[in-house]
Amino acid sequence: MSEIPAKATESEDPSDGARADAVVDSTADGSGDAVGEAVWQSSPPGSIYDYIKVASFSIGADGLVDQWSLRAAQVFGISAERAVGMDPIEAFVAPDLRERGQRKMAEILDGREWTGVVPFRRPTPERGEGLAEVYVMPTTTADGERGAVCIVVDVRTLRSIETDLAASQAIFGQSPFGFLLIDADLRIRRANERFASVFGGTVEDHRGHSVHDYLPRPEAERVRATLRRVLETGDSITDMHVTGFVPGSEERRHWSVNLYRVHSGTGRPIGIAWLGTDITARRTAAREAASARRNLALLNEAGARIGNSLDLETTARELLDVVVPNFCDLATVDLYQGLLAGDEAPPGLADGSAELRRVAFASAVSDAPFVGGPAPVAPGAVHHFPFNSPCADALRTARPQHLPAEEGGLIQSTLAVPMVAHDTVVGLAQFSRTKGSEPFGDRDRALAVELAARAAVCIDNARLYRREHERALILQRSLLPPGDPEASGLDIACRYLPGNAATEVGGDWFDVIELPGHRTALVVGDVMGRGLRAAVAMGELRTAVRTLALLDLEPAEVLSALDEIARGLGTPGGVQQATRTARQPRDADLSEVYLATCVYAVYDSVTRRCTFANAGHLPPVLVEPGESALMLDVPPGMPLGVGGEPFEEVEVELPEGALLALYTDGLVESRDHPLDEGLQAFVGALTDPSQPLEDVCDHILSTLDTHHGEDDIALLMARVQGLPVDSVGDWTLPREPRSVGRAREYARTRLQSWDLEPLIDTTELLVSELVTNALRYGEGEIRLRLLLDRTLVCEVWDAGLVQPRRRRARDTDEGGRGLQLVGLLSAGWGSRRTPRGKTVWFELPLPDGGTGLTDPAEALLSLF
């Protein structure tokens, strides 16, 4: 080094740290071998000498410094101008060691090498003392004089580098993560113990391996391409997921890998650092958490979507809409055929042999087969599972079964899950996954059971609803007139819409009751309240109305009796207790009283007169031909159940073709408009009464825009078609015995004009019996009336108040068999009070009515 010119060391500019050094160009493969032509180039610091700060200077034969490098000036803080010619012992050695230092310098100049550690003073006091490791090598100048070359290293800097290397080694070797240093050829240059413990062998065994030695080929190609990209671009990769296997295990493992490029001291890329950690457990936990979240979301969706309908088959389809494709690829639902037919569900656990119907099928795979059993079952088909099949076993035990996959088939995993509600199996749900999907696990099994149970409860609720609904319909139909009511001299049409759409029962009612003498009672009522309780009260009141009507009471009397019955219905003690309650103050508790409104009308087809009585109900509406509709002025009265007030009657003559409408408040009142407005709209809708009554009813319901569901609606429409004059025979007979014969003659003549010869004998016999009784037990003049409509009615009127009573005559009695004979020969008979006496009547079916007539001779003989 003594031959190196001093100016060469001074070519660096200390202000920016740049210097020109002679560097040997490395080989293309980066090995650093001096192969090729040596070139001079400018490069940033980075060699080992820069890190350990090696300084050099030379000593001449006189023991003084004759050359001083720039690095020496930096380490010792003395410039070359000052250092050249300086005695190094005097300059750098402490006074107490200088004598020893002079001896050593003499030995060195005599040709002996020396190595030692020498303390020295740093350039500035605040930096303290330094400790230099000095290498002194004797040399000879060109003049043959002895000298020395000194190499100086800052010991503390060297110890710091050693500490850093030890720390780096500890971090690399003791890291709990797999640590690799991969060279530019993408081969492992160095591996740590953690990596070796996972993949086996020692750290040296992995030197020179590539990713293909550890990963499956497709994954290895992907990782190698990533390594190449990191090496070329310098972009780091964070949390790259790598999947593979470790030696001796078939379990798939997952790693999270971080990659970054590593540079040499000169900044040249020398490889890639690989830091990997096993995340298999974390991935499993994340997958389990995701599965739990998916299952929870599926259950939430099932809760929102299943059971929105009260139809069994719709509920089954709602289950499949939830599970396909979110849970499985194919699914079916089979329900017991008896359940669908309306029978009660089988008690307890079924034996699996009953017939089922496939009510729903869903598939996320095109052209997928129908699952379940050895033979495909199409939707809608009725079938049963073989007794020893897994499906039958699932139905028997109420436990899910796993069906084996068919070889070569599309299905790889199937769960047969019984649908259990309240310890009752209602059907079977099957969930299938095709090949390529993940097979069902324990968590899937539990989820399938929960989904099937939810659907089963909804199906059972639908079954219970259907049963209650059918019972409610039976109740409602039993409380309303069957079919289209018929009445003498009236064309009838009606509508009934319950406010409770769920049960289809309510408290409104209407009725058409045929009365003697071709008269008809028209009834419309409204029990306050809704639902089944109101319907039951309505049924009781309707039955009472029919009973009272058959007694042929006046309309006001009917409502008075009905009022007492209504008060009795709401009182535990019945009518008597209701009577005592009525005497209490008005503020008495009426919470249990059945309140109802009712309008009762009796129409006489002969006179075309109608008598109305009203108990707090809306007024009837009448439309006469060519006139506008109007509300009849019928006193409203008090509702039934209140008591204490008499009811009034109003008699109205109805012209031929007139239209009469009776209705409840649900038709004209709602939250959107007041009652008066609804009544005017109803009256305005009756613009064309000549249309068929069914069309008139439909027009009213559509025009009024009724808010169905707010209240019950009952509408009864009747068009007047009075009995023709030639269908009525009316005679007045004096009170004398000859009137019996005249009555028979009148009856014979009129029946002949009506072409009713088959009825002449029977009619003559019965007319003579009634006229005879009127002469014997009645008062005043006698009136005979024959009415022909759908039946033949004969009425005998007198002014007496004593009602006839049928009794059984003894064999020895000469009389007393008249009314028995009337009962035997007629279709019906009875008596009713009139304003001026009573009327006794009998009715005979017409010959073409399909009812056979009793022979009078046989009837007479049967009395004895």
PDB file of all heavy atoms in Angstrom, residues 101-118:
ATOM      1  N   GLY A 101       5.559   2.503  23.333  1.00  0.00           N
ATOM      2  CA  GLY A 101       5.230   2.672  21.938  1.00  0.00           C
ATOM      3  C   GLY A 101       6.466   2.939  21.089  1.00  0.00           C
ATOM      4  O   GLY A 101       6.564   2.455  19.949  1.00  0.00           O
ATOM      5  N   GLN A 102       7.451   3.693  21.626  1.00  0.00           N
ATOM      6  CA  GLN A 102       8.660   3.963  20.875  1.00  0.00           C
ATOM      7  C   GLN A 102       9.440   2.684  20.636  1.00  0.00           C
ATOM      8  O   GLN A 102      10.021   2.472  19.557  1.00  0.00           O
ATOM      9  CB  GLN A 102       9.531   4.984  21.633  1.00  0.00           C
ATOM     10  CG  GLN A 102       8.923   6.382  21.718  1.00  0.00           C
ATOM     11  CD  GLN A 102       8.819   7.068  20.361  1.00  0.00           C
ATOM     12  OE1 GLN A 102       9.445   6.635  19.359  1.00  0.00           O
ATOM     13  NE2 GLN A 102       8.001   8.121  20.303  1.00  0.00           N
ATOM     14  N   ARG A 103       9.460   1.795  21.645  1.00  0.00           N
ATOM     15  CA  ARG A 103      10.168   0.528  21.472  1.00  0.00           C
ATOM     16  C   ARG A 103       9.505  -0.298  20.372  1.00  0.00           C
ATOM     17  O   ARG A 103      10.183  -0.918  19.548  1.00  0.00           O
ATOM     18  CB  ARG A 103      10.184  -0.261  22.790  1.00  0.00           C
ATOM     19  CG  ARG A 103      11.090   0.376  23.846  1.00  0.00           C
ATOM     20  CD  ARG A 103      11.407  -0.629  24.955  1.00  0.00           C
ATOM     21  NE  ARG A 103      10.206  -1.128  25.595  1.00  0.00           N
ATOM     22  CZ  ARG A 103       9.642  -0.575  26.670  1.00  0.00           C
ATOM     23  NH1 ARG A 103      10.159   0.533  27.206  1.00  0.00           N
ATOM     24  NH2 ARG A 103       8.561  -1.092  27.209  1.00  0.00           N
ATOM     25  N   LYS A 104       8.198  -0.322  20.398  1.00  0.00           N
ATOM     26  CA  LYS A 104       7.475  -1.090  19.389  1.00  0.00           C
ATOM     27  C   LYS A 104       7.732  -0.523  17.995  1.00  0.00           C
ATOM     28  O   LYS A 104       7.887  -1.255  17.025  1.00  0.00           O
ATOM     29  CB  LYS A 104       5.963  -1.085  19.688  1.00  0.00           C
ATOM     30  CG  LYS A 104       5.585  -1.902  20.919  1.00  0.00           C
ATOM     31  CD  LYS A 104       5.887  -3.382  20.709  1.00  0.00           C
ATOM     32  CE  LYS A 104       5.448  -4.217  21.932  1.00  0.00           C
ATOM     33  NZ  LYS A 104       5.797  -5.642  21.746  1.00  0.00           N
ATOM     34  N   MET A 105       7.763   0.814  17.881  1.00  0.00           N
ATOM     35  CA  MET A 105       8.003   1.439  16.583  1.00  0.00           C
ATOM     36  C   MET A 105       9.391   1.074  16.067  1.00  0.00           C
ATOM     37  O   MET A 105       9.568   0.827  14.862  1.00  0.00           O
ATOM     38  CB  MET A 105       7.854   2.957  16.698  1.00  0.00           C
ATOM     39  CG  MET A 105       8.111   3.711  15.398  1.00  0.00           C
ATOM     40  SD  MET A 105       6.987   3.196  14.072  1.00  0.00           S
ATOM     41  CE  MET A 105       5.468   3.893  14.693  1.00  0.00           C
ATOM     42  N   ALA A 106      10.369   1.007  16.991  1.00  0.00           N
ATOM     43  CA  ALA A 106      11.729   0.627  16.580  1.00  0.00           C
ATOM     44  C   ALA A 106      11.745  -0.798  16.072  1.00  0.00           C
ATOM     45  O   ALA A 106      12.411  -1.122  15.077  1.00  0.00           O
ATOM     46  CB  ALA A 106      12.687   0.791  17.762  1.00  0.00           C
ATOM     47  N   GLU A 107      11.030  -1.688  16.769  1.00  0.00           N
ATOM     48  CA  GLU A 107      10.969  -3.071  16.334  1.00  0.00           C
ATOM     49  C   GLU A 107      10.316  -3.181  14.957  1.00  0.00           C
ATOM     50  O   GLU A 107      10.740  -3.985  14.126  1.00  0.00           O
ATOM     51  CB  GLU A 107      10.178  -3.905  17.345  1.00  0.00           C
ATOM     52  CG  GLU A 107      10.865  -4.019  18.711  1.00  0.00           C
ATOM     53  CD  GLU A 107       9.996  -4.774  19.717  1.00  0.00           C
ATOM     54  OE1 GLU A 107       8.850  -5.173  19.315  1.00  0.00           O
ATOM     55  OE2 GLU A 107      10.413  -4.974  20.855  1.00  0.00           O
ATOM     56  N   ILE A 108       9.304  -2.372  14.740  1.00  0.00           N
ATOM     57  CA  ILE A 108       8.609  -2.422  13.455  1.00  0.00           C
ATOM     58  C   ILE A 108       9.547  -1.979  12.343  1.00  0.00           C
ATOM     59  O   ILE A 108       9.626  -2.589  11.275  1.00  0.00           O
ATOM     60  CB  ILE A 108       7.348  -1.562  13.506  1.00  0.00           C
ATOM     61  CG1 ILE A 108       6.298  -2.195  14.443  1.00  0.00           C
ATOM     62  CG2 ILE A 108       6.736  -1.364  12.109  1.00  0.00           C
ATOM     63  CD1 ILE A 108       5.118  -1.298  14.735  1.00  0.00           C
ATOM     64  N   LEU A 109      10.280  -0.910  12.609  1.00  0.00           N
ATOM     65  CA  LEU A 109      11.190  -0.416  11.588  1.00  0.00           C
ATOM     66  C   LEU A 109      12.332  -1.379  11.378  1.00  0.00           C
ATOM     67  O   LEU A 109      13.029  -1.316  10.336  1.00  0.00           O
ATOM     68  CB  LEU A 109      11.710   0.959  11.982  1.00  0.00           C
ATOM     69  CG  LEU A 109      10.639   2.079  12.002  1.00  0.00           C
ATOM     70  CD1 LEU A 109      11.262   3.384  12.470  1.00  0.00           C
ATOM     71  CD2 LEU A 109      10.014   2.246  10.610  1.00  0.00           C
ATOM     72  N   ASP A 110      12.546  -2.252  12.344  1.00  0.00           N
ATOM     73  CA  ASP A 110      13.554  -3.295  12.175  1.00  0.00           C
ATOM     74  C   ASP A 110      13.037  -4.473  11.373  1.00  0.00           C
ATOM     75  O   ASP A 110      13.751  -5.453  11.141  1.00  0.00           O
ATOM     76  CB  ASP A 110      14.056  -3.788  13.539  1.00  0.00           C
ATOM     77  CG  ASP A 110      14.951  -2.755  14.225  1.00  0.00           C
ATOM     78  OD1 ASP A 110      15.458  -1.874  13.487  1.00  0.00           O
ATOM     79  OD2 ASP A 110      15.069  -2.826  15.448  1.00  0.00           O
ATOM     80  N   GLY A 111      11.739  -4.419  10.996  1.00  0.00           N
ATOM     81  CA  GLY A 111      11.194  -5.479  10.134  1.00  0.00           C
ATOM     82  C   GLY A 111      10.246  -6.432  10.823  1.00  0.00           C
ATOM     83  O   GLY A 111       9.903  -7.482  10.252  1.00  0.00           O
ATOM     84  N   ARG A 112       9.756  -6.105  11.987  1.00  0.00           N
ATOM     85  CA  ARG A 112       8.841  -7.012  12.683  1.00  0.00           C
ATOM     86  C   ARG A 112       7.387  -6.499  12.552  1.00  0.00           C
ATOM     87  O   ARG A 112       7.130  -5.301  12.658  1.00  0.00           O
ATOM     88  CB  ARG A 112       9.207  -7.107  14.166  1.00  0.00           C
ATOM     89  CG  ARG A 112      10.579  -7.739  14.408  1.00  0.00           C
ATOM     90  CD  ARG A 112      10.861  -7.817  15.896  1.00  0.00           C
ATOM     91  NE  ARG A 112       9.880  -8.641  16.583  1.00  0.00           N
ATOM     92  CZ  ARG A 112       9.873  -8.813  17.932  1.00  0.00           C
ATOM     93  NH1 ARG A 112      10.777  -8.190  18.683  1.00  0.00           N
ATOM     94  NH2 ARG A 112       8.961  -9.576  18.474  1.00  0.00           N
ATOM     95  N   GLU A 113       6.478  -7.436  12.292  1.00  0.00           N
ATOM     96  CA  GLU A 113       5.063  -7.068  12.240  1.00  0.00           C
ATOM     97  C   GLU A 113       4.510  -6.956  13.665  1.00  0.00           C
ATOM     98  O   GLU A 113       5.006  -7.586  14.594  1.00  0.00           O
ATOM     99  CB  GLU A 113       4.255  -8.121  11.481  1.00  0.00           C
ATOM    100  CG  GLU A 113       4.550  -8.177  10.013  1.00  0.00           C
ATOM    101  CD  GLU A 113       3.615  -9.141   9.279  1.00  0.00           C
ATOM    102  OE1 GLU A 113       2.753  -9.756   9.965  1.00  0.00           O
ATOM    103  OE2 GLU A 113       3.707  -9.274   8.059  1.00  0.00           O
ATOM    104  N   TRP A 114       3.444  -6.175  13.746  1.00  0.00           N
ATOM    105  CA  TRP A 114       2.831  -6.017  15.074  1.00  0.00           C
ATOM    106  C   TRP A 114       1.311  -5.800  14.913  1.00  0.00           C
ATOM    107  O   TRP A 114       0.842  -5.103  14.018  1.00  0.00           O
ATOM    108  CB  TRP A 114       3.451  -4.817  15.780  1.00  0.00           C
ATOM    109  CG  TRP A 114       2.864  -4.615  17.178  1.00  0.00           C
ATOM    110  CD1 TRP A 114       3.190  -5.272  18.302  1.00  0.00           C
ATOM    111  CD2 TRP A 114       1.872  -3.655  17.521  1.00  0.00           C
ATOM    112  NE1 TRP A 114       2.488  -4.813  19.374  1.00  0.00           N
ATOM    113  CE2 TRP A 114       1.619  -3.781  18.900  1.00  0.00           C
ATOM    114  CE3 TRP A 114       1.158  -2.697  16.811  1.00  0.00           C
ATOM    115  CZ2 TRP A 114       0.716  -2.998  19.588  1.00  0.00           C
ATOM    116  CZ3 TRP A 114       0.268  -1.927  17.529  1.00  0.00           C
ATOM    117  CH2 TRP A 114       0.027  -2.085  18.880  1.00  0.00           C
ATOM    118  N   THR A 115       0.639  -6.430  15.816  1.00  0.00           N
ATOM    119  CA  THR A 115      -0.820  -6.265  15.859  1.00  0.00           C
ATOM    120  C   THR A 115      -1.222  -6.021  17.293  1.00  0.00           C
ATOM    121  O   THR A 115      -0.772  -6.739  18.193  1.00  0.00           O
ATOM    122  CB  THR A 115      -1.539  -7.516  15.340  1.00  0.00           C
ATOM    123  OG1 THR A 115      -1.135  -7.792  14.010  1.00  0.00           O
ATOM    124  CG2 THR A 115      -3.051  -7.310  15.379  1.00  0.00           C
ATOM    125  N   GLY A 116      -2.058  -5.047  17.507  1.00  0.00           N
ATOM    126  CA  GLY A 116      -2.501  -4.749  18.856  1.00  0.00           C
ATOM    127  C   GLY A 116      -3.666  -3.770  18.865  1.00  0.00           C
ATOM    128  O   GLY A 116      -4.040  -3.203  17.859  1.00  0.00           O
ATOM    129  N   VAL A 117      -4.151  -3.596  20.068  1.00  0.00           N
ATOM    130  CA  VAL A 117      -5.266  -2.675  20.260  1.00  0.00           C
ATOM    131  C   VAL A 117      -4.720  -1.457  20.971  1.00  0.00           C
ATOM    132  O   VAL A 117      -4.102  -1.571  22.042  1.00  0.00           O
ATOM    133  CB  VAL A 117      -6.389  -3.319  21.077  1.00  0.00           C
ATOM    134  CG1 VAL A 117      -7.513  -2.304  21.338  1.00  0.00           C
ATOM    135  CG2 VAL A 117      -6.952  -4.531  20.361  1.00  0.00           C
ATOM    136  N   VAL A 118      -4.978  -0.317  20.376  1.00  0.00           N
ATOM    137  CA  VAL A 118      -4.413   0.922  20.888  1.00  0.00           C
ATOM    138  C   VAL A 118      -5.537   1.933  21.099  1.00  0.00           C
ATOM    139  O   VAL A 118      -6.290   2.224  20.163  1.00  0.00           O
ATOM    140  CB  VAL A 118      -3.371   1.502  19.907  1.00  0.00           C
ATOM    141  CG1 VAL A 118      -2.812   2.809  20.442  1.00  0.00           C
ATOM    142  CG2 VAL A 118      -2.271   0.490  19.648  1.00  0.00           C
TER     143      VAL A 118
END
